[in-house]
Amino acid sequence: MQIGALQNLNYLNLFHNNLTNLVPTQIEDLPQLTYLNLSYNNVVSSNEHALCQSKWWNLSNGGSHHYCDWDGIACDGVGRVMSINQPRIYSQHRQLADLNFTELKRLKYLNLSRMGITGSIPIDMGGLQNLNHLDLSCNNLSGIIPTYIGDLQNLTYLDLSCNNLSGIIPTHIGGLQNLNYLDLSCNNLSGGIPYLIFNMRDLQHFDVSQNQLSGGIPEELGNFNNRFHVDVSQNNLSGNVPDILNSYFHVDGNFSHNKFNGILPSSICSDPPSCSIDLSYNSISGSIPREFGRLQYTNLSYNLLSGYVPSEVYNSFPHDILNGNRELLGLEKIHKASKSLLKIIIPLTIFLAITFVVGFILFGSFKKHKKSISEAREAKNGDLFSIWNYDGKIAYEDIIEATEDFDIKYCIGTGAYGSVYRAQLPSGKIVALKKLHKREYGNKFLAKSFHNEVKMLSEIRHRNIVKLHGSCLHNQCMFLIYEYMERGSLFYVLNYDDEAKELNWSKRVNAIKGITNALLYMHHHCAPPIIHRDITSSNILLNSEMEAFLSDFGTARIIDPDTSNQTILVGTYGYVAPELAYTLVVTEKCDVYSFGVMTLETIMGRHPGDLILSLSKTCTESILLKDILDSRLPLPSQKDAGDITLLFTIALACLNPSPKSRPSMQQVSQRLLSSNLPLAIPFNNISIQHLANEDMPIMQ
C-alpha cells in the first residue's frame, strides 16, 4: 500500500530508523495528519532551513496547534520552532555563533550537548525569554558565562558542564528563581560561589565540582525545599564545614577534596530520613560528634580529626570512612581503659564461684529436659526455616541459641543499619542473619524496608536471587534469615587482592551473566515488573563457586502502569541513574544504569567513577580497553577477550544519559547470546571510544 492512500492517518512516527533519500511528497497530501516524527533518520528535504514554514509542516487546523519533529527540531502548528534537541541539520556548525537565535523567540527546549561545538556562548541567546531547558554540556565552549543568563527567567534546567568555560560564576544566576537543576561542573571557573544561589528555594541539583573555585559557602544550608543534591568537590573552597539543616526530604552533599577546616557541627542533618555527607580530603579537626551516626552515609577520611570514635559512628559505617585521620583513637583503646573496672568486680568473683557450683547441678537436669523439647520440635515442624510453615517462636529460639543471643563473635559484616551473622542450626544447616541495630527498631522507614524485603523475596523465585528462609519482624527484634553465601559480597572480593585473583575473567563473566538473568526475570517475567533500585557490588553475593546472587530487596518496588511511579531518591551514590536526581520517576532503565556501573566495576576491579566522568568529556579516544582492566589478572584469553569486550560495550550502552537510549535487560540478555562472535580487531587495539560508538539496538 502506498502511504498516500492512508487518508485517515493522523499519527505517523518513524523515529530512529534507517530511512534515506527525500521525504515522500505523498505525505504533503495526507489531510488528517496531526503528528509527524522523522527524527534520527537520514531523510532530507529540499529546503532544510525552512522546515517549519513548508506547507506540510504547517498542520494547523482551525487554529489548533500540532507538533512535528525533524531530527530534533520541534515546531508548533503555525511554523514556529519550539525546541531543538541535537539536530542533525546543524551538525556541520561548530560554533554557536553560526546559529541565528534571534528568530527563535518561542524556543522552550534547547539541547546541543556532545556536539563538539567551540567558541563562546553568543549574546543573542539572551533573547530566548521562553527558554526553560538549556543544555550545552560536553562541548568545547570557552570564554565566560554571560551575565544575560540571569535574564532567562523561565529556566528550570541549566547544564553547562564539561566545557572550557572560565571566569567567575555570575551572580545573576542567583536570580533564576524557577531553576531546579544547575550543573557547571568540569570547567575552569574561579572565584567564589555567589551566595544568592543558596537562596534559590526550588533548586534540587547543584554541581560545581572539578573547577578552581575558592572562598567559602554559607555555614548553614537550610533554605532549600525537599530533596537537594549538592556537589562542590575538587575545588579550593575553605572555611567552616557547612551545617546542613533538617529541612530536606533527602540531601546528598559532596564537599570532598577541598580545604574546609574548623570542627564538625553536631546539629548536621538533625533527624533526617535520608542524608549523605562526604567530607573526605579536607582539613577538618576536632572530634567526631555522635550525631553523625544517624546519617545514611558519611565519609570523614583524610582529615585532621582526633579523639575517640563514638560507638554510634563506629558501628554504623564501614571503618574505611575514618582512614587517614592519624590522631583518632579507635574503640579498642576505649576497651583498654575499661580494664580498670576489673578492680571493682574482683570482690564478686567469690560469689560467682559459689553460683557456678549451684548452677552446674541444675544444668544437668535442664539439659535432659531440653533434649526432649528439641526432639518434639523437630518432629512437629520439619524444616524450621521454610518461610511457608516454620513456627516463629521455635525458630526464634533456635536463632538465639545458634548465635548466643547475637554475640559479636558470630558477626561477619556490619552495615549502616544492621549487622550480618553466621549461624549453624541444630540440623547442621548454615544460614546468614541480617539483624537491624537496636537503635533503629523505632525507625518506621527501616521497618517498612524490612517488611518490603520479606514481601518481595517471598513472592519471587530465581536461581540468581538470594533465597529468604524466614524472618522475625518484632518491634524489639528484627532479623531476616537467608541462605549463606560463603564468599561474601562482590565488593568484598574485589577489594582484597587474593580474593580478586581467584575471581578470574571467566568467573567474572559468569557473575555478570547471573545478575543479568536475575534482572531479566524481575523486569520481564514478573507481572507487574519489579525494580530493585539499589544494584551495587555490595548487594551482589557470591557462593563457594563464585556464582552471583542478587540480594537486599529492602528498596525494591513494583512498577504500577496506572501511576506516575514517582518516589523518593534511594540507592547508593555512584550507582544511581542521573535522571532520578531531578525527575524521581523510577523505571526499569534505572536498574539498567546501575547494572552498567556494576559491570564496569567487575571488569575494572574498582568503581568506574573516573571513567564515567571521562565519557562525558568525550576524551576516551586514547584510552585502550586493556589498560583499564583489573591489573591483578593477566590479560584475558581469546575466548574471555570476546566476552569482556562485549560486556564492556553493553555496559557503556547501559550508561547512556538518556533512559530511552539504554537497552532493556531483555536486549542485554539477547546480546550476550552472541558472545561467541570473533573480535573484529585485535583485543590490544580496542579503545573505549570504539566501544562507545558501537551500535546496540534499543527498543523504545
Side-chain angles (χ1 to χ4, degrees), residues 276-415:
S276 300
I277 307 295
D278 190 342
L279 294 168
S280 59
Y281 292 92
N282 279 287
S283 300
I284 304 168
S285 58
S287 59
I288 302 175
R290 65 180 65 253
E291 287 79 6
F292 269 67
R294 67 187 171 212
L295 301 180
Q296 184 181 33
Y297 175 79
T298 187
N299 190 348
L300 303 174
S301 60
Y302 298 96
N303 279 283
L304 304 174
L305 298 170
S306 58
Y308 289 111
V309 179
S311 60
E312 291 86 349
V313 175
Y314 191 87
N315 294 330
S316 297
F317 305 108
H319 297 167
D320 59 1
I321 70 155
L322 304 173
N323 289 348
N325 291 280
R326 298 181 180 180
E327 301 299 321
L328 278 180
L329 303 176
L331 290 186
E332 64 276 4
K333 299 186 178 181
I334 300 177
H335 297 329
K336 291 180 181 179
S338 66
K339 291 183 178 180
S340 62
L341 296 177
L342 291 176
K343 296 180 180 179
I344 301 176
I345 61 174
I346 287 177
L348 299 176
T349 304
I350 298 175
F351 172 77
L352 294 176
I354 297 173
T355 304
F356 175 77
V357 174
V358 177
F360 183 78
I361 297 173
L362 296 175
F363 178 75
S365 61
F366 173 76
K367 188 174 182 180
K368 293 180 181 179
H369 179 67
K370 182 179 179 181
K371 182 178 180 181
S372 63
I373 294 177
S374 178
E375 292 173 351
R377 179 191 309 169
E378 185 173 346
K380 175 184 177 182
N381 293 283
D383 182 9
L384 297 180
F385 288 92
S386 172
I387 193 171
W388 308 113
N389 63 5
Y390 78 91
D391 185 315
K393 181 178 180 181
I394 297 178
Y396 177 80
E397 293 172 354
D398 280 342
I399 292 298
I400 295 301
E401 178 182 343
T403 62
E404 299 181 30
D405 199 9
F406 295 100
D407 190 281
I408 194 172
K409 67 183 179 182
Y410 296 99
C411 183
I412 58 176
T414 300

Side-chain angles (χ1 to χ4, degrees), residues 89-104:
I89 64 171
Y90 285 152
S91 63
Q92 70 271 27
H93 296 293
R94 292 303 176 192
Q95 292 197 0
L96 286 178
D98 295 340
L99 307 181
N100 185 5
F101 292 102
T102 58
E103 298 180 359
L104 306 177

Side-chain angles (χ1 to χ4, degrees), residues 440-449:
E440 304 291 357
Y441 287 167
N443 190 315
K444 294 182 179 179
F445 175 80
L446 295 178
K448 180 179 179 181
S449 176

Side-chain angles (χ1 to χ4, degrees), residues 235-248:
N235 280 287
N236 296 310
L237 298 172
S238 58
N240 291 333
V241 177
D243 189 357
I244 298 179
L245 303 182
N246 63 344
S247 59
Y248 307 105

Side-chain angles (χ1 to χ4, degrees), residues 584-637:
L584 297 183
V585 177
V586 61
T587 68
E588 295 94 329
K589 295 302 181 72
C590 299
D591 276 357
V592 171
Y593 182 92
S594 302
F595 170 81
V597 178
M598 181 277 300
T599 299
L600 292 186
E601 183 177 2
T602 306
I603 296 173
M604 297 170 61
R606 61 190 183 279
H607 190 278
D610 293 339
L611 176 63
I612 295 175
L613 181 61
S614 67
L615 292 173
S616 67
K617 293 182 176 181
T618 63
C619 58
T620 56
E621 294 183 4
S622 61
I623 303 177
L624 296 178
L625 174 59
K626 69 180 183 66
D627 292 335
I628 62 173
L629 298 182
D630 193 338
S631 60
R632 294 169 294 187
L633 297 181
L635 288 177
S637 64

